[in-house]
Amino acid sequence: TLRTEERQRLARERREEREKQHAAKETQILEKERKAKLQYEKQLEERQRKLKEQKQREEQRRAAVEEKRKQKIEEEKERHEAALHRTLERNQRLETRQKRWSWGGSVTPDAESKTVLLHTASKQPPSPANLRQAEAAMSKRLSSSAALLNASDRTRRSQLSPLDSSVISRLLAPTQASLARSKSAAALSAD
């Protein structure tokens, strides 16, 4: 009986030892699982935080690009308006110069052409002698106007850019053509 009791006691101690080891292993496993779960949650939070930060950076970059694009459009618009304003001012200056230097503008008619103007104003037909005088006065006036135009044109063109010079040339062309037409009309009426 002593041996049997001893064997039973030893078996019970071994069983208790095995149960303790088993409980310790289970505790270790549970602890590992808990740590793994905490690690996973931590990694998940870190990943979400990084994604959120990346999204914010992308939104900021997109907003900066959009702001830059708007600023560029605004600068381009301002540049365009300034160029348009300069062109309009230049055209107005050219128009005032053109009016100032046109043959019908500031040059006052001399006495001979005044007589022709008086005849036409009174609607009386001018005499051939008056027509010849008018033709001579007109040619004199045309040549002096053309000389004035050419001289002032040359000095002004030397001070202007090629674009301004070409604009002035285009603007002056009809004036010179109208001078030629007036001259030929005077010659025809004299004939």
Side-chain angles (χ1 to χ4, degrees):
T1 57
L2 281 176
R3 274 189 184 173
T4 310
E5 283 177 8
E6 185 68 24
R7 267 191 245 142
Q8 284 175 352
R9 189 181 59 77
L10 286 172
R12 191 170 50 247
E13 284 177 1
R14 281 196 298 265
R15 194 168 51 246
E16 285 173 1
E17 188 65 31
R18 274 199 306 269
E19 284 175 0
K20 279 181 186 178
Q21 286 176 353
H22 185 67
K25 277 185 182 179
E26 275 190 23
T27 307
Q28 282 179 346
I29 290 170
L30 287 172
E31 186 63 26
K32 278 184 183 178
E33 285 178 356
R34 190 182 67 77
K35 283 182 180 178
K37 190 177 179 184
L38 283 173
Q39 183 71 19
Y40 175 75
E41 286 173 355
K42 194 176 179 182
Q43 286 175 348
L44 194 65
E45 284 176 7
E46 186 69 20
R47 194 177 302 149
Q48 286 175 345
R49 187 182 61 78
K50 283 183 180 177
L51 284 171
K52 193 175 180 182
E53 285 176 359
Q54 186 179 354
K55 194 174 180 181
Q56 283 176 345
R57 279 196 304 269
E58 284 177 5
E59 284 175 1
Q60 287 172 351
R61 187 182 55 81
R62 203 176 298 123
V65 166
E66 182 66 22
E67 184 63 32
K68 202 171 182 181
R69 188 183 67 83
K70 282 181 183 176
Q71 190 176 358
K72 210 171 184 179
I73 288 171
E74 191 64 32
E75 286 173 0
E76 192 66 33
K77 187 179 174 185
E78 286 173 6
R79 246 195 321 270
H80 178 71
E81 285 175 357
L84 190 64
H85 185 67
R86 283 195 305 271
T87 306
L88 287 173
E89 281 182 349
R90 194 179 303 133
N91 286 346
Q92 285 175 349
R93 282 198 306 269
L94 288 175
E95 282 176 14
T96 54
R97 284 182 194 164
Q98 183 66 28
K99 286 176 185 171
R100 196 180 312 143
W101 292 104
S102 67
W103 72 278
S106 63
V107 181
T108 56
D110 55 10
E112 298 166 59
S113 56
K114 277 183 185 173
T115 58
V116 174
L117 291 173
L118 287 173
H119 278 298
T120 52
S122 63
K123 297 193 177 180
Q124 295 173 354
S127 66
N130 282 344
L131 283 175
R132 276 192 289 280
Q133 276 184 339
E135 182 184 356
M138 185 70 80
S139 334
K140 193 164 123 182
R141 186 170 160 196
L142 288 174
S143 61
S144 66
S145 293
L148 269 173
L149 276 173
N150 288 336
S152 63
D153 199 28
R154 276 193 292 277
T155 55
R156 274 186 282 145
R157 284 187 189 176
S158 65
Q159 298 167 354
L160 296 174
S161 69
L163 177 66
D164 291 341
S165 182
S166 68
V167 169
I168 289 173
S169 296
R170 278 198 310 248
L171 288 171
L172 286 176
T175 304
Q176 290 167 350
S178 65
L179 289 173
R181 279 196 301 276
S182 299
K183 193 172 180 181
S184 64
L188 284 174
S189 64
D191 290 345

